[in-house]
Amino acid sequence: MWEETGGGLFAVRLVIGLLFFAHGLDILTAGKQRTIDFFAAFKVPIAQISAPLAGVAQTLAGLAMILGLGAQVGAIAMIALMAGAIFYVHGRFGFPNINIVGQQDDGSPVFAMPGYEFNVALIGGLLAVAIGGPGVWAIV
């Protein structure tokens, strides 16, 4: 079995970093207005500013996690962002990420907004990096 001290932390920070980087980049490019409208609909304070700021934070924190440069700071920032996402959006929809609320006439499911399950999973990985550091192969 392959064993590398800190290899697990590297894998966690790489995968989570890629997720945040891609999501943040989407907010800053194609999804900017969509995200502002989404934030406004869920009463996130100052949506015109907080939505692009969330995109910048996710992009930079994701890049920090990918490179391992400032990964712990990026992880802590994303824990705060995920707590905000749970508070303002996902918490009211319960725990399940796949939130089936009904069924179409053809038997296909009707989905509602995802709950906070995925946010909790991300927080778990982010805590591992925040506490354990970036692991191996990091620009420290």
Side-chain angles (χ1 to χ4, degrees):
M1 174 168 249
W2 177 48
E3 290 187 26
E4 175 72 43
T5 303
L9 287 169
F10 165 72
V12 168
R13 99 175 140 77
L14 183 64
V15 170
I16 291 178
L18 286 168
L19 289 171
F20 278 111
F21 181 76
H23 196 267
L25 211 54
D26 178 61
I27 290 172
L28 294 176
T29 57
K32 185 176 180 186
Q33 189 58 51
R34 178 183 68 222
T35 306
I36 290 169
D37 295 342
F38 180 85
F39 275 35
F42 281 95
K43 309 285 190 260
V44 177
I46 320 165
Q48 290 284 92
I49 297 170
S50 59
L53 187 60
V56 169
Q58 289 180 51
T59 303
L60 293 177
L63 188 59
M65 300 261 304
I66 292 165
L67 298 175
L69 179 62
Q72 289 173 292
V73 172
I76 292 165
M78 291 304 95
I79 289 168
L81 192 80
M82 288 298 94
I86 291 168
F87 180 79
Y88 284 106
V89 180
H90 300 283
R92 70 185 78 178
F93 297 103
F95 181 73
N97 192 57
I98 299 175
N99 197 356
I100 300 172
V101 293
Q103 189 172 4
Q104 303 278 358
D105 291 337
D106 65 359
S108 62
V110 175
F111 295 100
M113 189 70 162
Y116 58 92
E117 179 177 13
F118 186 62
N119 304 93
V120 171
L122 287 171
I123 289 170
L126 291 165
L127 281 170
V129 175
I131 294 167
V136 295
W137 304 300
I139 303 170
V140 180

